Structures are given as structure tokens and as C-alpha cells.
Amino acid sequence: MLPQAYNFLASTSVIPVMVIEREADAIPMAEALVAGGIKVLEITLRTPCALAAIKAISEAVPDAHVGAGTVCNGDDFSAAVDAGARFIVSPGQSDALFDKSITSNTPLLPGAVTATEVMRAAEAGFKVLKFFPASTSGGAAAIKAFSGPFSSISFVPTGGIGPKNLLEYLQLPNVQAAGGSWMLPKDKVQSGDWHAVTQLSREASELSKIKESIQ
């Protein structure tokens, strides 16, 4: 069972990893994803306009549940929450991130790909962890192996995941959702082909229903 703070994950099995290069793309990109059935959005703090994009989407797309990704320190955590992020995703973990999550009551998905990292995050009270980069850290097989010693931990893998291997991850009971950017091809985003993004999102949503049938 998901901890209450992470109930938003119960509504999705696919989370788009959004790298927004142009602030003007933020709202139409989010609207295209939501139209395709994907409402939990992770906007990475990899570009200068990322915080502005989080703010714009939070205010203009009410059906979107907006979070921030690639959050690596306490200052970025605070800035993302101030911009409107309702959850935080990090490729790693630190005491500063743990403290920010606890004091702000903002859900954090800290990164963990080793048993030691999983144990450390679990001891700090975190039960849903990011598994990144998935494809080079053992993939679905590694996450499956974690289900033995860490039966109460769920994972959200990202990195190297797409339509061809998505189901390998979603069929695992300890995978809550999987993230990726395949529904946001760079050429479609650059040309503003939001119809194509919606179609790819709809296809991803259909694939994700496999997870619902397993559960």
C-alpha cells in the first residue's frame, strides 16, 4: 500500500520526464500530455526555464499534478516547491533532501540503485524510491531482486525505458510507475506538434493499463 503522501502515484503508471527548453512550450506540452491521459508530470531542473515552466503549468493546467525532477540539493528543492512543485524527484539522496521533504511535507522520491542506498532511504522513512539510471543499473532484473530483502519498498525506474521494455518494469509488483521521455520526441516538441505528443501519450497510457490489470 502506498504511503498517503504518495497517493498521487496510484493514478498513473507512466510519468513523463520533461526537459523544457522553451518556456513557451510548457503549457501546450503539459496540455498535450494530459489530453493523452498522463496527468502526473515530472519537469526536470536541467534548463534555465524549468522553474518558470513548473509555475506556469501549476497555474494554467489544473488537471496536471506537477513535480520537479533532477533536484540535487536543498536550495533547488525549496525553489521547486515555491514554484508549485507538488512532489520532488532526485537522482540520488542526501540528508539535506531528506530534511527538506520532512519539514515541508513535500513527497520526495530519492534515488537508490544499491542495497545500501535503499536501506539508507528506508531508514529515513522513504518507501517509494527512484531507480536511475535503470538500464545501466541492472534494469528490471535488479528491481525484481530487491523485492526479496525490501518487500515494503516501491520503485519508479527511469533511464532507458520506452515502449519496447516498459512492460518488463510495470509487470513487477514493486514497481509503482516508470518514467521516460519517449512520448516527447525532440523533433515533435521543437515543431510544436502537440497532436503527436497526445497520441504517443495515449499509447503510453494504454500500455500502462497492463499494470492495473496485474494489480
Side-chain angles (χ1 to χ4, degrees), residues 18-30 43-44 46-54 56-57 185-194:
M18 302 164 64
V19 181
I20 301 178
E21 303 282 353
R22 300 175 300 199
E23 185 179 343
D25 290 338
I27 292 173
M29 185 187 300
I43 301 170
T44 64
R46 302 180 191 176
T47 63
C49 68
L51 291 173
I54 291 172
I57 294 170
K186 195 167 185 177
D187 61 331
K188 303 299 184 185
V189 171
Q190 288 180 336
S191 66
D193 188 350
W194 306 121

Side-chain angles (χ1 to χ4, degrees), residues 43 45 50-51 54-55 58 66-69 71 73-89 106:
I43 301 170
L45 301 190
L51 291 173
I54 291 172
K55 181 176 176 59
S58 297
V66 183
V71 177
N73 57 65
D75 289 343
D76 284 347
F77 193 115
S78 297
V81 172
D82 289 344
R86 298 165 68 184
F87 66 95
I88 301 294
V89 184
T106 302

Side-chain angles (χ1 to χ4, degrees), residues 195-211:
H195 176 77
V197 170
T198 293
Q199 181 58 36
L200 289 168
S201 300
R202 188 171 291 117
E203 292 170 3
S205 295
E206 289 299 316
L207 276 176
S208 73
K209 290 180 180 178
I210 297 295
K211 182 69 173 176

Side-chain angles (χ1 to χ4, degrees), residues 136-193:
T136 58
S137 300
I143 298 174
K144 181 179 181 179
F146 278 153
S147 66
F150 307 118
S151 59
S152 64
I153 302 297
S154 297
F155 295 90
V156 177
T158 66
I161 298 176
K164 293 182 179 179
N165 63 355
L166 176 63
L167 296 184
E168 294 177 20
Y169 293 90
L170 294 186
Q171 69 183 354
L172 299 177
N174 61 337
V175 167
Q176 184 61 45
S181 57
W182 71 89
M183 69 290 291
L184 294 165
K186 195 167 185 177
D187 61 331
K188 303 299 184 185
V189 171
Q190 288 180 336
S191 66
D193 188 350

Side-chain angles (χ1 to χ4, degrees), residues 9-34:
L9 290 173
S11 65
T12 187
S13 295
V14 176
I15 300 175
V17 179
M18 302 164 64
V19 181
I20 301 178
E21 303 282 353
R22 300 175 300 199
E23 185 179 343
D25 290 338
I27 292 173
M29 185 187 300
E31 290 176 335
L33 290 164
V34 169

